[in-house]
Amino acid sequence: MGHWWTRNIIEPGKLPLLLALASFVLTFVITRIVVRLIRAGKGPFGNVKAGGLHIHHVVPGVVLTVIGGFGAVGSDRHGFGAAVFAVVFGMGAGLVLDEFALILHLDDVYWSEEGRKSVEVVVVTAALVGLMLSGFLPFGVNDLTENELQNRAGVVVSIGLNFLVALLALSKGKARMAIFGVIVPLVALVGAIRLARPASPWARRFYLRRPRARARARLRAYHHDRRWAGPRRRFQDLIGGKPDPEPARSLPGPGRP
């Protein structure tokens, strides 16, 4: 175990990345526990306010991210300082991405349906960092041989092709597959080959005069969403808590528009 740790974590300089990932996940989990206790009115916790202004935890998250990011850039990745700044950066990133939906919508949507985006972004980020920690590099560079790495033209061509495949998957409405495909090109290749999502730019451009392709795309999207929507919602509720129910819309009455 000690030999594996030294060879795969210490020598490649991956300890700061591991510490950043661990502090990122731990901060997110602790934050979600605290805010769920506040929501339920349990425990000694409460919202942080200054002069009547609610201070969202994205604010200290930004401060920690800036400190940790600049500190990590200015330190040696094998030194003690890099480990400390990596933990600070991971904590800040956890606080910021926990309120990603708030930043995206510029509104307090933490406990709404839109707030689910924060949980999804955190899960995707943790998965991507975990892949990088396991040895995967962006655009499949880790799959190149030593001779290929020495040939700059080969590296540029490989990165360019993998980037185009990921971009193609994104244009087909496969955002998650495109993101993971940046790290594992095979994932993006699958997304690029399969049918596009009905509302994607690719479908609007190339399925306009292909009714069969449009019908197949809609049918496949329907079955996919029906199969995975429930498990995905339960997983998000387990991690982030159930959102508040949306207020029922009243039907127009006499004399009402």
Side-chain angles (χ1 to χ4, degrees):
M1 182 64 182
H3 177 70
W4 177 90
W5 175 265
T6 302
R7 182 177 180 181
N8 294 279
I9 301 297
I10 302 299
E11 290 181 356
K14 292 183 179 180
L15 182 59
L17 184 62
L18 175 62
L19 293 174
L21 176 60
S23 61
F24 170 77
V25 174
L26 187 61
T27 299
F28 171 75
V29 171
I30 293 176
T31 302
R32 280 285 166 167
I33 291 175
V34 170
V35 295
R36 290 172 77 168
L37 289 174
I38 295 175
R39 186 190 191 193
K42 300 178 181 179
F45 307 104
N47 293 323
V48 178
K49 295 183 179 181
L53 177 65
H54 179 199
I55 306 298
H56 292 272
H57 49 266
V58 67
V59 177
V62 170
V63 175
L64 292 176
T65 302
V66 171
I67 295 174
F70 280 107
V73 170
S75 60
D76 181 11
R77 65 176 181 173
H78 291 277
F80 176 76
V84 174
F85 285 121
V87 172
V88 174
F89 177 81
M91 294 171 60
L95 293 173
V96 170
L97 293 188
D98 183 55
E99 292 199 316
F100 172 82
L102 182 148
I103 302 173
L104 179 64
H105 294 276
L106 293 179
D107 193 12
D108 191 358
V109 294
Y110 196 88
W111 292 118
S112 67
E113 285 291 330
E114 291 82 1
R116 293 177 181 270
K117 293 184 178 68
S118 297
V119 178
E120 186 171 350
V121 168
V122 168
V123 172
V124 170
T125 301
L128 290 175
V129 176
L131 286 173
M132 295 179 63
L133 191 62
S134 301
F136 290 91
L137 296 177
F139 302 116
V141 178
N142 53 294
D143 296 328
L144 299 179
T145 64
E146 291 295 332
N147 293 332
E148 291 173 331
L149 287 173
Q150 293 176 0
N151 183 358
R152 292 186 178 181
V155 174
V156 171
V157 170
S158 177
I159 292 176
L161 288 176
N162 290 334
F163 175 77
L164 290 177
V165 172
L167 192 62
L168 179 58
L170 182 63
S171 70
K172 287 192 169 185
K174 313 293 181 64
R176 298 183 189 89
M177 300 188 77
I179 293 173
F180 281 103
V182 173
I183 306 297
V184 186
L186 181 61
V187 176
L189 181 61
V190 173
I193 293 175
R194 300 188 67 185
L195 280 171
R197 299 280 298 183
S200 66
W202 182 277
R204 291 196 299 267
R205 175 65 177 82
F206 295 102
Y207 294 172
L208 185 61
R209 298 182 180 179
R210 298 172 58 191
R212 290 186 178 181
R214 289 202 310 271
R216 289 174 55 205
R218 290 171 182 168
L219 183 61
R220 177 170 292 182
Y222 169 76
H223 286 301
H224 178 274
D225 294 342
R226 185 178 181 182
R227 178 185 306 168
W228 295 107
R232 182 165 59 245
R233 290 176 65 90
R234 288 191 292 270
F235 177 72
Q236 292 174 343
D237 291 346
L238 177 64
I239 296 178
K242 291 184 178 182
D244 293 328
E246 295 185 0
R249 296 181 180 179
S250 58
L251 296 176
R256 299 171 67 180

